[in-house]
Amino acid sequence: YGVLDYQVFLEGETSGPMTPVRLHPNQDGCELVFNWFQRAGVSDEQFESEAEWAYSDLLRLKAYIEAR
């Protein structure tokens, strides 16, 4: 149904914050919408670092999907 959720957590942890991700049909493909929110208590530096990790993961996902 186009619903994906992205979760980031540190090694050894069993859970972390959930980030909503949605896919919307777009002609012959789809558009991915990823909402990244800065949680209370997270510094700007930590938020930017987490966003960079998420971006890296999304680039790997894109490469995987486009290779299929």
Side-chain angles (χ1 to χ4, degrees):
Y1 297 104
V3 175
L4 305 167
D5 287 319
Y6 180 85
Q7 190 174 30
V8 175
F9 48 94
L10 299 174
E11 187 174 335
E13 293 182 351
T14 58
S15 67
M18 193 70 68
T19 301
V21 181
R22 302 298 179 261
L23 291 173
H24 301 281
N26 184 355
Q27 296 176 355
D28 292 333
C30 66
E31 182 174 354
L32 184 136
V33 178
F34 182 91
N35 295 297
W36 192 259
F37 300 103
Q38 187 169 0
R39 299 175 317 280
V42 173
S43 69
D44 290 345
E45 293 79 18
Q46 183 179 354
F47 176 73
E48 288 183 27
S49 175
E50 290 175 357
E52 287 176 15
W53 276 103
Y55 181 71
S56 174
D57 286 350
L58 290 170
L59 287 177
R60 280 193 296 275
L61 175 62
K62 180 180 187 282
Y64 174 78
I65 290 170
E66 289 178 346
R68 301 190 114 232

